Amino acid sequence: MTIDVVNGLNEKVGALDLSDEVFGGQVHGALIWESVVREEAGRRRGTHATRTRGRVSGTGRKPWRQKGTGRARVGEARNPLWRGGGTVFGPEPRSYAYRLPKKVVRGALRAALRQRLGDGGVIVIDEFAIESEAPRTREAAALLQRLGADAGAVLVDVHPDDRLEQSARNLPGVRVVASNRLTARDVMVAGHVIASRAAVEHLARVLER
C-alpha cells in the first residue's frame, strides 16, 4: 500500500510505502468499540454521591419509646424508611477507568487507521512547519484549509512542537497528539488524521508488534 506525502501547500513531494500487515486487511470493529468505550469510561468524572443516614442532618434521638405506643418501632428520624432520611446503597464517588490488554489497544488502533485509510481520511505531511516564531492560530487554520481538513482534525507527530500545539489549541475540533499517545478514539472522532511522515513510520514500527 502506498500513500502520497504532501507539504504544507498540499503539493505532493513523495510517497510512503505502508505495510499491508499493519495498515491493510480486515477492519475489526469490535476492537475499536472496546477501545473507545474504555477511553470514554476513563473520562467520566464519577463524582456522583448520595447522603447516607450518617450524612443526613437531624437528631439521632429516638422519636418515641420502643414499646407501648402502638406505633412502629423506630430508632431515629434519619433512617432510610422515613422521608428525608438517608439513602441505602446509593452511588458513591468512584473511578470508571479500567485497563485493556496491550494487544487489544494496538489492534484497535490498527483497525481504526485501516478504516480511515479506506475512507480517505488520512493525510501524510512531510513535516509540520510553523514559520512564525510566535504561535499563530490563523497560521494553523490556513494550513488545515490548504489540506482540506478545516472541519476538524487530529495532528499527529512524534514530538509535537510547542508552537504547533499553541497555534491549534483554539481551533474547534482540532487536537495535537504525539504518535505514542494516539488512540483509536482520536482516529475515529476526528474528521481527518494528519500525520507527519516520521509519525507514520513510528506507528508502523509500534503496531507491527
Side-chain angles (χ1 to χ4, degrees), residues 99-120:
R99 299 184 63 182
L100 287 176
K102 290 182 179 180
K103 288 186 177 181
V104 174
V105 175
R106 293 195 189 109
L109 182 54
R110 276 196 302 265
L113 290 172
R114 290 172 184 173
Q115 179 69 43
R116 299 318 305 274
L117 280 168
D119 298 341

PDB file of all heavy atoms in Angstrom, residues 99-120:
ATOM      1  N   ARG A  99      -8.458  -1.085  32.498  1.00  0.00           N
ATOM      2  CA  ARG A  99      -7.383  -1.318  31.535  1.00  0.00           C
ATOM      3  C   ARG A  99      -7.763  -2.420  30.563  1.00  0.00           C
ATOM      4  O   ARG A  99      -8.524  -3.334  30.890  1.00  0.00           O
ATOM      5  CB  ARG A  99      -6.087  -1.684  32.257  1.00  0.00           C
ATOM      6  CG  ARG A  99      -5.570  -0.601  33.198  1.00  0.00           C
ATOM      7  CD  ARG A  99      -4.239  -0.986  33.794  1.00  0.00           C
ATOM      8  NE  ARG A  99      -3.207  -1.110  32.769  1.00  0.00           N
ATOM      9  CZ  ARG A  99      -1.952  -1.478  33.009  1.00  0.00           C
ATOM     10  NH1 ARG A  99      -1.584  -1.766  34.243  1.00  0.00           N
ATOM     11  NH2 ARG A  99      -1.088  -1.557  32.032  1.00  0.00           N
ATOM     12  N   LEU A 100      -7.215  -2.308  29.366  1.00  0.00           N
ATOM     13  CA  LEU A 100      -7.353  -3.344  28.352  1.00  0.00           C
ATOM     14  C   LEU A 100      -5.973  -3.924  28.061  1.00  0.00           C
ATOM     15  O   LEU A 100      -4.960  -3.238  28.236  1.00  0.00           O
ATOM     16  CB  LEU A 100      -7.950  -2.769  27.061  1.00  0.00           C
ATOM     17  CG  LEU A 100      -9.435  -2.417  27.061  1.00  0.00           C
ATOM     18  CD1 LEU A 100      -9.819  -1.773  25.737  1.00  0.00           C
ATOM     19  CD2 LEU A 100     -10.284  -3.649  27.313  1.00  0.00           C
ATOM     20  N   PRO A 101      -5.895  -5.151  27.611  1.00  0.00           N
ATOM     21  CA  PRO A 101      -4.592  -5.710  27.216  1.00  0.00           C
ATOM     22  C   PRO A 101      -3.942  -4.872  26.122  1.00  0.00           C
ATOM     23  O   PRO A 101      -4.615  -4.290  25.274  1.00  0.00           O
ATOM     24  CB  PRO A 101      -4.954  -7.112  26.719  1.00  0.00           C
ATOM     25  CG  PRO A 101      -6.241  -7.441  27.384  1.00  0.00           C
ATOM     26  CD  PRO A 101      -6.980  -6.147  27.527  1.00  0.00           C
ATOM     27  N   LYS A 102      -2.618  -4.821  26.143  1.00  0.00           N
ATOM     28  CA  LYS A 102      -1.893  -4.003  25.170  1.00  0.00           C
ATOM     29  C   LYS A 102      -2.171  -4.452  23.739  1.00  0.00           C
ATOM     30  O   LYS A 102      -2.257  -3.626  22.819  1.00  0.00           O
ATOM     31  CB  LYS A 102      -0.394  -4.066  25.452  1.00  0.00           C
ATOM     32  CG  LYS A 102       0.023  -3.354  26.727  1.00  0.00           C
ATOM     33  CD  LYS A 102       1.534  -3.414  26.918  1.00  0.00           C
ATOM     34  CE  LYS A 102       1.947  -2.682  28.186  1.00  0.00           C
ATOM     35  NZ  LYS A 102       3.417  -2.733  28.395  1.00  0.00           N
ATOM     36  N   LYS A 103      -2.331  -5.753  23.542  1.00  0.00           N
ATOM     37  CA  LYS A 103      -2.607  -6.246  22.195  1.00  0.00           C
ATOM     38  C   LYS A 103      -3.962  -5.764  21.696  1.00  0.00           C
ATOM     39  O   LYS A 103      -4.139  -5.499  20.497  1.00  0.00           O
ATOM     40  CB  LYS A 103      -2.544  -7.772  22.176  1.00  0.00           C
ATOM     41  CG  LYS A 103      -1.137  -8.336  22.313  1.00  0.00           C
ATOM     42  CD  LYS A 103      -1.128  -9.839  22.134  1.00  0.00           C
ATOM     43  CE  LYS A 103       0.286 -10.390  22.200  1.00  0.00           C
ATOM     44  NZ  LYS A 103       0.323 -11.855  22.015  1.00  0.00           N
ATOM     45  N   VAL A 104      -4.925  -5.644  22.588  1.00  0.00           N
ATOM     46  CA  VAL A 104      -6.243  -5.139  22.200  1.00  0.00           C
ATOM     47  C   VAL A 104      -6.150  -3.664  21.830  1.00  0.00           C
ATOM     48  O   VAL A 104      -6.751  -3.214  20.840  1.00  0.00           O
ATOM     49  CB  VAL A 104      -7.262  -5.359  23.338  1.00  0.00           C
ATOM     50  CG1 VAL A 104      -8.596  -4.716  23.000  1.00  0.00           C
ATOM     51  CG2 VAL A 104      -7.445  -6.844  23.606  1.00  0.00           C
ATOM     52  N   VAL A 105      -5.393  -2.890  22.610  1.00  0.00           N
ATOM     53  CA  VAL A 105      -5.245  -1.457  22.330  1.00  0.00           C
ATOM     54  C   VAL A 105      -4.555  -1.245  20.987  1.00  0.00           C
ATOM     55  O   VAL A 105      -4.991  -0.422  20.166  1.00  0.00           O
ATOM     56  CB  VAL A 105      -4.455  -0.773  23.471  1.00  0.00           C
ATOM     57  CG1 VAL A 105      -4.189   0.685  23.133  1.00  0.00           C
ATOM     58  CG2 VAL A 105      -5.221  -0.890  24.781  1.00  0.00           C
ATOM     59  N   ARG A 106      -3.479  -1.994  20.735  1.00  0.00           N
ATOM     60  CA  ARG A 106      -2.785  -1.867  19.457  1.00  0.00           C
ATOM     61  C   ARG A 106      -3.667  -2.336  18.299  1.00  0.00           C
ATOM     62  O   ARG A 106      -3.687  -1.724  17.237  1.00  0.00           O
ATOM     63  CB  ARG A 106      -1.484  -2.671  19.481  1.00  0.00           C
ATOM     64  CG  ARG A 106      -0.433  -2.125  20.432  1.00  0.00           C
ATOM     65  CD  ARG A 106       0.917  -2.741  20.125  1.00  0.00           C
ATOM     66  NE  ARG A 106       1.896  -2.409  21.151  1.00  0.00           N
ATOM     67  CZ  ARG A 106       2.374  -3.267  22.038  1.00  0.00           C
ATOM     68  NH1 ARG A 106       1.973  -4.525  22.011  1.00  0.00           N
ATOM     69  NH2 ARG A 106       3.260  -2.899  22.930  1.00  0.00           N
ATOM     70  N   GLY A 107      -4.388  -3.422  18.510  1.00  0.00           N
ATOM     71  CA  GLY A 107      -5.274  -3.916  17.468  1.00  0.00           C
ATOM     72  C   GLY A 107      -6.382  -2.929  17.140  1.00  0.00           C
ATOM     73  O   GLY A 107      -6.762  -2.772  15.976  1.00  0.00           O
ATOM     74  N   ALA A 108      -6.897  -2.232  18.154  1.00  0.00           N
ATOM     75  CA  ALA A 108      -7.935  -1.231  17.916  1.00  0.00           C
ATOM     76  C   ALA A 108      -7.385  -0.055  17.116  1.00  0.00           C
ATOM     77  O   ALA A 108      -8.052   0.457  16.214  1.00  0.00           O
ATOM     78  CB  ALA A 108      -8.492  -0.750  19.257  1.00  0.00           C
ATOM     79  N   LEU A 109      -6.155   0.369  17.435  1.00  0.00           N
ATOM     80  CA  LEU A 109      -5.556   1.479  16.692  1.00  0.00           C
ATOM     81  C   LEU A 109      -5.278   1.069  15.250  1.00  0.00           C
ATOM     82  O   LEU A 109      -5.504   1.862  14.311  1.00  0.00           O
ATOM     83  CB  LEU A 109      -4.265   1.931  17.385  1.00  0.00           C
ATOM     84  CG  LEU A 109      -3.536   3.121  16.763  1.00  0.00           C
ATOM     85  CD1 LEU A 109      -4.462   4.320  16.619  1.00  0.00           C
ATOM     86  CD2 LEU A 109      -2.312   3.486  17.584  1.00  0.00           C
ATOM     87  N   ARG A 110      -4.806  -0.160  15.043  1.00  0.00           N
ATOM     88  CA  ARG A 110      -4.608  -0.646  13.677  1.00  0.00           C
ATOM     89  C   ARG A 110      -5.922  -0.648  12.910  1.00  0.00           C
ATOM     90  O   ARG A 110      -5.986  -0.201  11.756  1.00  0.00           O
ATOM     91  CB  ARG A 110      -4.022  -2.070  13.703  1.00  0.00           C
ATOM     92  CG  ARG A 110      -2.535  -2.148  13.862  1.00  0.00           C
ATOM     93  CD  ARG A 110      -2.013  -3.522  13.480  1.00  0.00           C
ATOM     94  NE  ARG A 110      -2.633  -4.567  14.279  1.00  0.00           N
ATOM     95  CZ  ARG A 110      -2.110  -5.077  15.394  1.00  0.00           C
ATOM     96  NH1 ARG A 110      -0.950  -4.621  15.836  1.00  0.00           N
ATOM     97  NH2 ARG A 110      -2.726  -6.026  16.056  1.00  0.00           N
ATOM     98  N   ALA A 111      -6.981  -1.141  13.542  1.00  0.00           N
ATOM     99  CA  ALA A 111      -8.281  -1.204  12.875  1.00  0.00           C
ATOM    100  C   ALA A 111      -8.809   0.190  12.549  1.00  0.00           C
ATOM    101  O   ALA A 111      -9.373   0.423  11.475  1.00  0.00           O
ATOM    102  CB  ALA A 111      -9.275  -1.961  13.750  1.00  0.00           C
ATOM    103  N   ALA A 112      -8.620   1.136  13.475  1.00  0.00           N
ATOM    104  CA  ALA A 112      -9.099   2.499  13.233  1.00  0.00           C
ATOM    105  C   ALA A 112      -8.341   3.149  12.080  1.00  0.00           C
ATOM    106  O   ALA A 112      -8.934   3.824  11.228  1.00  0.00           O
ATOM    107  CB  ALA A 112      -8.952   3.330  14.508  1.00  0.00           C
ATOM    108  N   LEU A 113      -7.026   2.953  12.034  1.00  0.00           N
ATOM    109  CA  LEU A 113      -6.243   3.521  10.932  1.00  0.00           C
ATOM    110  C   LEU A 113      -6.617   2.877   9.599  1.00  0.00           C
ATOM    111  O   LEU A 113      -6.675   3.557   8.569  1.00  0.00           O
ATOM    112  CB  LEU A 113      -4.754   3.338  11.215  1.00  0.00           C
ATOM    113  CG  LEU A 113      -4.192   4.197  12.362  1.00  0.00           C
ATOM    114  CD1 LEU A 113      -2.760   3.792  12.681  1.00  0.00           C
ATOM    115  CD2 LEU A 113      -4.263   5.677  12.013  1.00  0.00           C
ATOM    116  N   ARG A 114      -6.874   1.573   9.599  1.00  0.00           N
ATOM    117  CA  ARG A 114      -7.314   0.915   8.371  1.00  0.00           C
ATOM    118  C   ARG A 114      -8.643   1.498   7.892  1.00  0.00           C
ATOM    119  O   ARG A 114      -8.848   1.726   6.697  1.00  0.00           O
ATOM    120  CB  ARG A 114      -7.468  -0.587   8.617  1.00  0.00           C
ATOM    121  CG  ARG A 114      -6.159  -1.326   8.810  1.00  0.00           C
ATOM    122  CD  ARG A 114      -6.411  -2.762   9.254  1.00  0.00           C
ATOM    123  NE  ARG A 114      -5.168  -3.462   9.539  1.00  0.00           N
ATOM    124  CZ  ARG A 114      -5.109  -4.685  10.066  1.00  0.00           C
ATOM    125  NH1 ARG A 114      -6.235  -5.323  10.365  1.00  0.00           N
ATOM    126  NH2 ARG A 114      -3.937  -5.249  10.288  1.00  0.00           N
ATOM    127  N   GLN A 115      -9.548   1.724   8.841  1.00  0.00           N
ATOM    128  CA  GLN A 115     -10.846   2.286   8.482  1.00  0.00           C
ATOM    129  C   GLN A 115     -10.703   3.672   7.877  1.00  0.00           C
ATOM    130  O   GLN A 115     -11.305   3.983   6.847  1.00  0.00           O
ATOM    131  CB  GLN A 115     -11.733   2.344   9.728  1.00  0.00           C
ATOM    132  CG  GLN A 115     -13.123   2.924   9.511  1.00  0.00           C
ATOM    133  CD  GLN A 115     -13.996   2.029   8.671  1.00  0.00           C
ATOM    134  OE1 GLN A 115     -14.000   0.818   8.862  1.00  0.00           O
ATOM    135  NE2 GLN A 115     -14.739   2.610   7.730  1.00  0.00           N
ATOM    136  N   ARG A 116      -9.889   4.527   8.493  1.00  0.00           N
ATOM    137  CA  ARG A 116      -9.739   5.892   7.991  1.00  0.00           C
ATOM    138  C   ARG A 116      -8.972   5.933   6.687  1.00  0.00           C
ATOM    139  O   ARG A 116      -9.223   6.789   5.824  1.00  0.00           O
ATOM    140  CB  ARG A 116      -9.057   6.770   9.031  1.00  0.00           C
ATOM    141  CG  ARG A 116      -9.820   6.909  10.345  1.00  0.00           C
ATOM    142  CD  ARG A 116     -11.318   7.104  10.152  1.00  0.00           C
ATOM    143  NE  ARG A 116     -11.635   8.218   9.308  1.00  0.00           N
ATOM    144  CZ  ARG A 116     -11.744   9.476   9.731  1.00  0.00           C
ATOM    145  NH1 ARG A 116     -11.574   9.750  11.005  1.00  0.00           N
ATOM    146  NH2 ARG A 116     -12.047  10.444   8.883  1.00  0.00           N
ATOM    147  N   LEU A 117      -8.013   5.028   6.505  1.00  0.00           N
ATOM    148  CA  LEU A 117      -7.315   4.945   5.219  1.00  0.00           C
ATOM    149  C   LEU A 117      -8.273   4.543   4.111  1.00  0.00           C
ATOM    150  O   LEU A 117      -8.210   5.074   2.996  1.00  0.00           O
ATOM    151  CB  LEU A 117      -6.160   3.941   5.310  1.00  0.00           C
ATOM    152  CG  LEU A 117      -4.879   4.439   5.971  1.00  0.00           C
ATOM    153  CD1 LEU A 117      -3.938   3.273   6.253  1.00  0.00           C
ATOM    154  CD2 LEU A 117      -4.186   5.471   5.086  1.00  0.00           C
ATOM    155  N   GLY A 118      -9.171   3.620   4.414  1.00  0.00           N
ATOM    156  CA  GLY A 118     -10.157   3.229   3.419  1.00  0.00           C
ATOM    157  C   GLY A 118     -11.133   4.354   3.098  1.00  0.00           C
ATOM    158  O   GLY A 118     -11.623   4.446   1.964  1.00  0.00           O
ATOM    159  N   ASP A 119     -11.412   5.208   4.071  1.00  0.00           N
ATOM    160  CA  ASP A 119     -12.315   6.343   3.853  1.00  0.00           C
ATOM    161  C   ASP A 119     -11.612   7.532   3.207  1.00  0.00           C
ATOM    162  O   ASP A 119     -12.276   8.515   2.873  1.00  0.00           O
ATOM    163  CB  ASP A 119     -12.929   6.797   5.182  1.00  0.00           C
ATOM    164  CG  ASP A 119     -13.776   5.703   5.820  1.00  0.00           C
ATOM    165  OD1 ASP A 119     -14.172   4.774   5.088  1.00  0.00           O
ATOM    166  OD2 ASP A 119     -14.011   5.774   7.037  1.00  0.00           O
ATOM    167  N   GLY A 120     -10.295   7.466   3.092  1.00  0.00           N
ATOM    168  CA  GLY A 120      -9.550   8.611   2.564  1.00  0.00           C
ATOM    169  C   GLY A 120      -9.393   9.735   3.566  1.00  0.00           C
ATOM    170  O   GLY A 120      -9.207  10.892   3.175  1.00  0.00           O
TER     171      GLY A 120
END
